[in-house]
Amino acid sequence: MTTEANLHGAMPPSESLPDVATDSWQVGTEETFQWTKQWYPIAVIEFLDPSRPQALQLLGKDLVIWRDSAKQWHCFADACPHRLAPLSEGRVEPDGTLLCAYHAWRFDAQGRCVRIPQSKDAQTEASHCANPKSCAQVYPTQERQGLLWVWAESGDAAQLESQTRSPRLIPELEVESDHIVKLFWNIRDLPYGWDFFMENVADPAHVPVSHHGMMGSRYQDAQYYDMIRMGEMSTQDGVVYATTPTPPAIAAAIREFRPPCLMKIISTFTDGGQLILVLYATPTRPGWCRHIGCQILVKNQAGKTPKGLAFFALPMPAWLGHVLASLFLHQDLVFLHYQEKTLAKRNPDHWLSAVFTPNPQDKMVIALRQWLKNRAGGGIPWDTACHPELPPAEMDKQRLFDVWTTHTKHCHACQNALTTINRWQVIAYGAAIVCLILALMLDARAIALQSQVNSSPLTMTPPTGFWWAMVSGILFVIIGYLLKKLSRLFYLYEFEHAQND
């Protein structure tokens, strides 16, 4: 069977040449997509701890971000030019410089070395600092729409080139209007690759199945529909697909893939309102990506706010949304982590020959794979210093569903919330102990009073205060237990589809 036949699978004759095919096989019509000459979102600014440098990765490069005294974030290679110690293990000093904690070399916002304390004298120090070899390797950054963006190349030429290109911003967030409601940003490092993230969010067919009970029913809502390509595939601007038919309350459902990092899902309701899912994915290292996303609710002309994504559209603090996100993200994670490893064992360079895609619901996934193969060099160009091998499948589910390492330890908001929850947990258990002691004291006092009037302790009824204290103690124990369960979600959330009835 030919490759194109595999592409169409067992579709009926009327669909034997789906719209994705003619575009997918147009090779060489545009220049190859340049992965390193792009802006990538790498952090949500409000969740960063400005008091310390923080390590991260981008395209396999080890980087460090930090904030200076002017409250501007910067990105350097995570290696001191002196002896290549990680700058992420250093300190942000009160004067706004980044200090390498190995030998106390200091760097300003432009990456210039401003202190080498081991120098013989001030003149020698100035000479050493003036040497270009003393400078940190600087990556361009900018702060837009609440996100910190990093250009994937460093140096003076990269600084100039980065100014000629805009990040993949969301136009709706550039408009100040009371008709646009932006919900909290979420961020998470996910143990599967960029391509599998994009493949997953390009596939609406999985939603009621994978997210059974939250986004529909695997038994009633896994139905036939088609995906219609909207325009031609573009090397620089990706692909756009519409789903048809749509549910009764939705007039149009559009998915826009905008390389290198954005999938924008727009659901327009029949009353004119819109739900926009902003889903960024930044390739960090082989087998991993960093997801940053949010919901945008666009009110209709009557000012009615549309329904959001499940319960995540309800009013809640960002930290609670982050904790609850595991309920959603881990339902896909358990598939995508192992799916990526399975493909790597089979035929990773020929995706179509490794899978069977007979239905039109997979058109956009196929288009994404063909864009990656024919327009973007076949995959992520990992940094040469990075080991490009895909890590093995993680068989320990507790490590696979680790929330602390992939989110909480990097999120200042969640760390503060966790500290508060733990404090209240101690208070709740302490209050329970006090209440129980008080109940015993009240009961003992009642027994003593009854003994004075020659009444038998076995026939007496405990006083009302005893019962109030006992009930209060039990309630505080329950509150402490629930707070403990909540705090656990900052560390780990395990999920099994077999138990999701």
Side-chain angles (χ1 to χ4, degrees):
M1 183 177 291
T2 66
T3 304
E4 289 167 285
N6 285 336
L7 174 65
H8 313 318
M11 291 183 182
S14 61
E15 296 182 88
S16 60
L17 192 63
D19 55 3
V20 67
T22 55
D23 185 63
S24 298
W25 295 105
Q26 293 175 7
V27 182
T29 58
E30 298 182 57
E31 71 280 9
T32 301
F33 185 79
Q34 299 297 309
W35 290 91
T36 60
K37 299 181 183 298
Q38 308 290 335
W39 287 103
Y40 292 90
I42 50 85
V44 181
I45 294 171
E46 66 176 301
F47 303 144
L48 291 173
D49 182 355
S51 67
R52 62 181 184 86
Q54 294 161 63
L56 55 89
Q57 290 180 306
L58 172 62
L59 301 182
K61 307 172 193 284
D62 292 319
L63 307 177
V64 59
I65 56 174
W66 63 285
R67 196 178 78 165
D68 64 16
S69 56
K71 298 184 178 181
Q72 297 296 312
W73 286 91
H74 305 280
C75 182
F76 294 173
D78 194 13
C80 178
H82 175 214
R83 298 257 294 280
L84 306 182
L87 291 171
S88 57
E89 293 297 329
R91 293 169 49 85
V92 178
E93 294 298 303
D95 64 354
T97 58
L98 177 62
L99 178 142
C100 177
Y102 196 18
H103 294 93
W105 288 32
R106 294 195 189 195
F107 304 89
D108 66 12
Q110 287 71 45
R112 294 186 295 253
C113 185
V114 295
R115 284 299 316 277
I116 302 179
Q118 294 83 6
S119 301
K120 180 179 179 180
D121 51 38
Q123 184 178 358
T124 303
E125 181 179 31
S127 176
H128 291 335
C129 289
N131 190 317
K133 290 185 176 181
S134 71
C135 296
Q137 186 178 351
V138 180
Y139 288 80
T141 59
Q142 61 175 294
E143 300 174 25
R144 299 287 298 274
Q145 298 187 343
L147 305 180
L148 179 61
W149 300 77
V150 172
W151 185 260
E153 292 184 352
S154 62
D156 294 337
Q159 186 68 48
L160 293 174
E161 189 171 12
S162 69
Q163 296 173 8
T164 67
R165 189 183 293 269
S166 175
R168 286 293 182 186
L169 301 175
I170 307 304
E172 290 80 3
L173 296 182
E174 295 290 288
V175 179
E176 292 189 11
S177 171
D178 57 4
H179 272 249
I180 297 176
V181 180
K182 177 199 160 295
L183 305 183
F184 62 88
W185 284 111
N186 186 39
I187 181 169
R188 177 73 72 85
D189 289 327
L190 298 170
Y192 50 84
W194 169 95
D195 50 341
F196 283 85
F197 178 94
M198 289 299 176
E199 178 180 314
N200 182 60
V201 294
D203 168 30
H206 86 279
V207 174
V209 183
S210 295
H211 307 295
H212 172 74
M214 185 181 297
M215 295 293 296
S217 167
R218 66 169 73 98
Y219 304 110
Q220 282 80 42
D221 298 321
Q223 300 177 355
Y224 173 89
Y225 59 84
D226 198 355
M227 297 194 75
I228 308 301
R229 191 186 66 201
M230 312 292 288
E232 296 298 316
M233 177 184 288
S234 166
T235 298
Q236 302 303 326
D237 292 321
V239 293
V240 180
Y241 275 77
T243 303
T244 183
T246 58
I250 297 179
I254 306 292
R255 275 170 162 75
E256 300 179 0
F257 165 62
R258 304 301 187 191
C261 53
L262 174 63
M263 182 71 74
K264 185 178 180 183
I265 304 176
I266 307 169
S267 299
T268 302
F269 294 89
T270 53
D271 65 1
Q274 286 186 327
L275 164 62
I276 301 174
L277 298 181
V278 177
L279 305 172
Y280 289 112
T282 293
T284 52
R285 64 186 188 273
W288 286 82
C289 67
R290 172 163 288 190
H291 164 51
I292 300 176
C294 76
Q295 296 184 68
I296 300 173
L297 306 178
V298 182
K299 300 177 183 178
N300 63 14
Q301 291 297 321
K304 179 184 176 183
T305 303
K307 181 181 178 182
L309 178 67
F311 55 80
F312 295 105
L314 297 175
M316 67 177 71
W319 65 265
L320 182 58
H322 293 175
V323 169
L324 297 178
S326 298
L327 280 66
F328 194 85
L329 292 173
H330 290 193
Q331 291 176 339
D332 290 329
L333 185 159
V334 72
F335 295 128
L336 300 172
H337 175 78
Y338 298 111
Q339 179 184 351
E340 180 177 30
K341 309 304 185 289
T342 300
L343 178 64
K345 293 177 182 177
R346 296 191 178 186
N347 201 348
D349 296 327
H350 297 86
W351 181 85
L352 277 173
S353 65
V355 300
F356 176 54
T357 55
N359 290 324
Q361 290 91 335
D362 289 318
K363 286 181 181 179
M364 189 171 186
V365 174
I366 295 170
L368 276 168
R369 287 293 177 178
Q370 291 307 308
W371 178 88
L372 186 62
K373 177 181 178 181
N374 297 328
R375 304 296 183 88
I380 308 295
W382 301 111
D383 185 76
T384 54
C386 170
H387 297 289
E389 294 84 8
L390 190 68
E394 180 56 71
M395 305 312 296
D396 183 345
K397 290 294 184 69
Q398 289 203 345
R399 297 184 64 180
L400 184 63
F401 294 119
D402 173 14
V403 179
W404 172 263
T405 304
T406 59
H407 174 78
T408 307
K409 70 178 293 186
H410 308 294
C411 180
H412 200 45
C414 284
Q415 290 182 34
N416 289 338
L418 180 59
T419 299
T420 301
I421 290 170
N422 288 338
R423 183 181 299 120
W424 279 107
Q425 181 183 335
V426 172
I427 291 173
Y429 284 135
I433 293 172
V434 170
C435 288
L436 293 176
I437 292 174
L438 179 60
L440 293 175
M441 291 175 62
L442 290 172
D443 191 42
R445 183 173 181 273
I447 291 174
L449 291 174
Q450 290 293 331
S451 298
Q452 294 177 5
V453 295
N454 298 321
S455 297
S456 172
L458 298 176
T459 60
M460 66 169 288
T461 301
T464 303
F466 166 85
W467 294 112
W468 276 109
M470 284 293 293
V471 171
S472 298
I474 293 171
L475 287 176
F476 279 123
V477 168
I478 293 173
I479 291 171
Y481 173 77
L482 293 177
L483 288 173
K484 183 177 181 180
K485 295 281 287 186
L486 178 60
S487 68
R488 179 174 169 78
L489 294 179
F490 288 90
Y491 296 94
L492 175 71
Y493 177 74
E494 295 184 85
F495 181 81
E496 295 286 347
H497 280 279
Q499 298 176 2
N500 183 24
D501 297 326

